Amino acid sequence: MKESATYKSLSFTIDKTLKSGLGRIGSIKTAHDEIKTPAFMTVGTKGEVRFVDMDSLHQIGAEAMLSNGYHLRKLAPEIAKQGGLAKYSGWNGPTLTDSGGFQVMSLGSGLGKVVSMDRKIKQTSEKNRLAHVSDEGVDFTDPFTGEQEFIGPEESMQIQTNIGADIHMAFDELTSLADNYDYNVQAMFRTEMWAERSLKKHQEIRDSLGYRQNLYGVLQGGRWEDLRRRTAKVLGTMDFDGYGLGGAFLKEQLGDILRWCNEELPFEKPKHLLGLSRPDDIFIGFENGADTLDCVAPTREARHGRIYTRDGEIYLRKFKDCPELLDENCDCPTCRSGWTKGQLRALWKSPTLEEKALYYKLSSIHNLRFTIRIFEEIRQNVLKNSYEAYKTDFLSRYYSQKKSSMLK
């Protein structure tokens, strides 16, 4: 890893753009090193990636780690005493925290999960909600302790500044798929108000740990073009260092929503796409202006026996005693060490915690390296002017059995 350098503020350099105009490659400089973009931010929710040590993350080319403000809120003062998240975690590289708004809001809405084949939406009933939103912030009940708590923009900024990541996210109201247009209008105005309050508080306290901490504004607006474009224009005039692109929407809307936002936001500032990492999502995100992405899926799915390969995902439960290598074309430490599908399945199904933990590490390293390598190859192929051919070849092979709609 490069020796750390201190930067007065985040800087973003664009090296080359796609002909379409929104996708680009470049680099983000932070107080704890540089992120080559586009990049995948590995999720270490509580300041660590489950079952994967920090040396292994650096070994597989991880560029940055994202942690969660909500889950670290009680530890924030201690993290500050230890010099911030990079030191506390042992990662010692670029870091980002989200505001915790997703977790807090999910206690109130259930986030409108799709629960049936006819795409009906379920929303938590009012009496069962653990979170209640007002213009001041969110009153919520911790589902594990039963304690009553409150987080608003100022509280979120104080928590995140104590945690001390290089990049923070403004506090926002995440709506659900079940929320209608009128409610999304309310939430959008509230998010814009919270953005101003987040920015003001953050600018007051951002350098408290001795290095510059940066703030991204977060865009909401649901699935509606007029709301997305309108709020992008409003937040684009504010003094944010970059922008987070979030919200609850259906997968097929991703490209349109990113395009609406990024056609209005300042082109010269970096954009982060929250919570997606499927290969088709990566390509759509990159082409429509996302410079960094994060998602828990690579490690979470690895722990459940779902492994990524160039020829699509495989499920280890089907490979008892299989002598085939996990992925002959993979350069991750797991594959280079010669682990077979059958061996990994045996570890996964083992009754011993030690062997299960070894499986979780080996499979997580593989899935993370697979995801990180896509970003590396995107950068390489943009520079060689072969991006379109690379994307077509990758997706046609990965989704050969699913007939990816992107290639129709």
Side-chain angles (χ1 to χ4, degrees):
M1 193 186 100
K2 297 178 184 177
E3 185 178 350
S4 293
T6 300
Y7 300 97
K8 291 184 178 180
S9 62
L10 177 148
S11 63
F12 179 48
T13 301
I14 299 171
D15 296 325
K16 189 172 183 177
T17 60
L18 297 181
K19 291 180 180 179
S20 60
L22 290 176
R24 64 273 187 97
I25 62 173
S27 62
I28 300 171
K29 290 184 178 180
T30 76
H32 293 91
D33 217 338
E34 184 178 23
I35 305 168
K36 294 180 181 179
T37 63
F40 179 71
M41 290 191 172
T42 303
V43 177
T45 301
K46 298 181 180 180
E48 62 179 3
V49 179
R50 294 182 66 188
F51 302 102
V52 182
D53 60 272
M54 297 301 174
D55 286 342
S56 294
L57 289 179
H58 287 298
Q59 186 179 0
I60 62 174
E63 298 240 38
M65 181 179 70
L66 180 146
S67 297
N68 185 271
Y70 172 83
H71 289 292
L72 288 175
R73 67 192 189 281
K74 301 292 181 64
L75 289 172
E78 178 59 30
I79 295 173
K81 288 180 183 179
Q82 296 191 31
L85 182 60
K87 288 185 178 180
Y88 169 83
S89 65
W91 163 246
N92 294 317
T95 53
L96 181 150
T97 49
D98 61 21
S99 69
F102 176 92
Q103 286 72 27
V104 173
M105 301 298 171
S106 68
L107 298 174
S109 70
L111 294 182
K113 295 179 180 178
V114 178
V115 294
S116 65
M117 293 302 290
D118 59 1
R119 302 172 82 81
K120 290 182 179 178
I121 305 299
K122 178 182 179 182
Q123 192 173 38
T124 306
S125 64
E126 182 67 27
K127 68 176 182 180
N128 292 325
R129 294 187 179 194
L130 297 177
H132 298 274
V133 181
S134 70
D135 286 349
E136 291 305 306
V138 184
D139 291 285
F140 66 98
T141 303
D142 187 310
F144 299 103
T145 67
E147 295 179 357
Q148 300 298 308
E149 298 188 47
F150 173 83
I151 294 179
E154 292 79 12
E155 289 76 14
S156 177
M157 293 303 97
Q158 187 64 67
I159 290 168
Q160 291 188 77
T161 301
N162 283 339
I163 295 170
D166 295 299
I167 301 169
H168 303 164
M169 291 287 177
F171 197 61
D172 63 303
E173 181 179 0
L174 173 64
T175 57
S176 78
L177 290 172
D179 290 318
N180 62 23
Y181 179 88
D182 289 341
Y183 189 82
N184 272 271
V185 171
Q186 296 177 41
M188 179 189 68
F189 284 127
R190 187 176 291 122
T191 292
E192 292 171 2
M193 177 180 64
W194 288 356
E196 292 180 338
R197 288 166 54 189
S198 294
L199 190 58
K200 180 180 178 181
K201 183 66 175 180
H202 191 267
Q203 290 175 337
E204 293 173 357
I205 61 177
R206 65 185 173 192
D207 300 326
S208 59
L209 296 183
Y211 56 88
R212 176 56 58 91
Q213 300 172 33
N214 305 279
L215 183 63
Y216 282 17
V218 181
L219 278 71
Q220 293 296 338
R223 59 187 180 272
W224 290 277
E225 181 176 2
D226 62 326
L227 301 186
R228 288 285 179 169
R229 288 189 182 274
R230 189 259 181 210
T231 200
K233 291 177 181 177
V234 171
L235 267 67
T237 65
M238 298 182 189
D239 190 23
F240 287 111
D241 300 290
Y243 295 92
L245 306 169
F249 47 80
L250 298 175
K251 182 182 177 73
E252 55 265 29
Q253 299 172 309
L254 174 62
D256 285 337
I257 288 173
L258 292 179
R259 178 173 54 80
W260 299 334
C261 293
N262 288 330
E263 285 179 346
E264 306 296 342
L265 288 170
F267 181 76
E268 69 277 8
K269 292 189 177 183
K271 320 297 191 313
H272 180 82
L273 177 57
L274 292 150
L276 292 172
S277 68
R278 289 270 180 257
D280 54 348
D281 295 331
I282 291 172
F283 287 105
I284 291 172
F286 166 66
E287 291 173 6
N288 288 281
D291 301 295
T292 54
L293 295 85
D294 77 90
C295 194
V296 298
T299 51
R300 176 181 289 171
E301 293 184 345
R303 294 195 299 270
H304 289 85
R306 191 170 182 172
I307 304 297
Y308 304 161
T309 78
R310 289 280 187 179
D311 296 306
E313 299 163 4
I314 64 172
Y315 298 87
L316 284 181
R317 66 174 182 270
K318 301 178 181 179
F319 291 94
K320 184 177 182 179
D321 300 324
C322 178
E324 297 175 358
L325 294 175
L326 185 64
D327 186 345
E328 293 183 356
N329 300 312
C330 181
D331 62 359
C332 80
T334 302
C335 291
R336 289 205 312 267
S337 298
W339 286 92
T340 67
K341 297 173 183 176
Q343 289 171 329
L344 287 172
R345 184 191 181 280
L347 290 176
W348 179 40
K349 294 295 185 180
S350 172
T352 71
L353 295 178
E354 183 178 1
E355 290 188 339
K356 280 187 178 296
L358 176 58
Y359 164 75
Y360 293 149
K361 177 178 180 177
L362 293 170
S363 60
S364 294
I365 285 174
H366 171 82
N367 277 4
L368 284 173
R369 177 57 192 157
F370 179 90
T371 304
I372 291 166
R373 192 167 56 247
I374 296 174
F375 290 84
E376 294 175 351
E377 291 172 350
I378 287 174
R379 295 197 296 265
Q380 293 164 5
N381 281 278
V382 169
L383 288 172
K384 294 188 299 183
N385 297 315
S386 54
Y387 170 74
E388 287 296 334
Y390 163 71
K391 180 188 76 168
T392 300
D393 177 71
F394 186 100
L395 292 177
S396 61
R397 180 174 173 181
Y398 189 87
Y399 292 107
S400 59
Q401 296 180 357
K402 295 184 179 181
K403 297 181 179 180
S404 170
S405 60
M406 290 184 65
L407 299 174
K408 291 181 180 178

